Amino acid sequence: MEMAKEAEGGKTVEGGKTVEECQSMIQKSLRTPMVKFLRGRMEKAGCGVGENFFKAIHCDQNVGGGYAPGDGVVVCSNHMKIQDEVNQVVIHALIHAYDDCRANIDWTNCAHLACSKIRANHLSGDCHYKREFLRGNLKIRGHEQECVKRRVMQELKPHFTETAARDAMEAVWETCYNDTQPFDRAP
């Protein structure tokens, strides 16, 4: 994964956690109902994820972590401050991992990537009203879809032109936003 490198000596950056502290926080995340549910659904889909699927690392880029196909879920210890942040990264990344498990995703295809990013931002709770409020986004109506679109564009821009990213997101929006699997409905 390009964004990350192994930590040396447990160093932190501006209030972040050491790799060891973050690894303990990941272990707590694995006991939360949402993470247990997602891991169970992945198991049923034929893609079991053991505890070694999750790893705390030191990251050079300003990201919280992510899913690396073939490697698993990484959490950037130096950008984590509280348990809730670790939980969100793990849940978000597990939705990408679930998508990878159930579909033949080409992670270099803008539309495929946009779809998984729409689903992860929508289903993980990243755009819950409370989180948006804490980010200073105070709009009451329509905040969730606007948040998902904003976050998807932020996540696609490093890899694709803004036009390609927007076109891909709009082309798959309806289908991917309404695909709530493995949930019966959006949590």
Side-chain angles (χ1 to χ4, degrees):
M1 189 170 221
E2 284 181 33
M3 73 172 175
K5 70 174 186 178
E6 296 293 326
E8 298 174 17
K11 295 177 186 173
T12 61
V13 176
E14 295 183 31
K17 299 295 182 184
T18 65
V19 169
E20 294 78 16
E21 290 169 330
C22 188
Q23 198 64 46
S24 291
M25 294 169 90
I26 290 171
Q27 292 307 309
K28 277 187 177 176
S29 290
L30 299 181
R31 295 189 298 268
T32 65
M34 178 80 87
V35 172
K36 284 181 171 180
F37 174 81
L38 288 167
R39 288 178 73 189
R41 290 304 167 120
M42 286 189 65
E43 190 78 37
K44 284 182 181 176
C47 300
V49 291
E51 291 186 22
N52 62 346
F53 189 76
F54 304 89
K55 187 175 184 182
I57 59 173
H58 178 90
C59 298
D60 293 331
Q61 291 180 316
N62 189 20
V63 294
Y67 170 66
D71 290 331
V73 172
V74 296
V75 180
C76 298
S77 62
N78 52 314
H79 299 297
M80 297 294 110
K81 293 181 181 169
I82 60 173
Q83 184 65 48
D84 184 62
E85 292 171 329
V86 175
N87 295 350
Q88 279 307 116
V89 169
V90 169
I91 291 165
H92 183 109
L94 273 174
I95 293 168
H96 287 307
Y98 178 82
D99 286 350
D100 199 23
C101 174
R102 75 178 180 137
N104 188 18
I105 293 186
D106 174 358
W107 295 101
T108 63
N109 179 304
C110 191
H112 288 201
L113 189 57
C115 185
S116 189
K117 290 192 176 296
I118 289 166
R119 288 178 30 76
N121 280 291
H122 176 50
L123 300 174
S124 68
D126 286 335
C127 289
H128 185 273
Y129 179 75
K130 176 183 78 171
R131 290 184 199 293
E132 277 291 88
F133 179 78
L134 293 172
R135 290 181 193 122
N137 297 318
L138 305 175
K139 187 172 181 184
I140 294 178
R141 291 197 185 271
H143 80 275
E144 203 268 348
Q145 288 190 18
E146 282 186 19
C147 170
V148 170
K149 288 179 180 181
R150 182 182 71 248
R151 291 174 64 88
V152 167
M153 286 301 294
Q154 287 170 343
E155 293 173 23
L156 290 176
K157 278 187 199 176
H159 310 288
F160 303 97
T161 66
E162 184 165 352
T163 301
R166 187 166 312 286
D167 289 349
M169 179 179 67
E170 289 173 1
V172 301
W173 177 263
E174 199 68 33
T175 300
C176 300
Y177 186 82
N178 291 312
D179 177 2
T180 61
Q181 290 300 312
F183 306 99
D184 294 331
R185 59 181 171 76

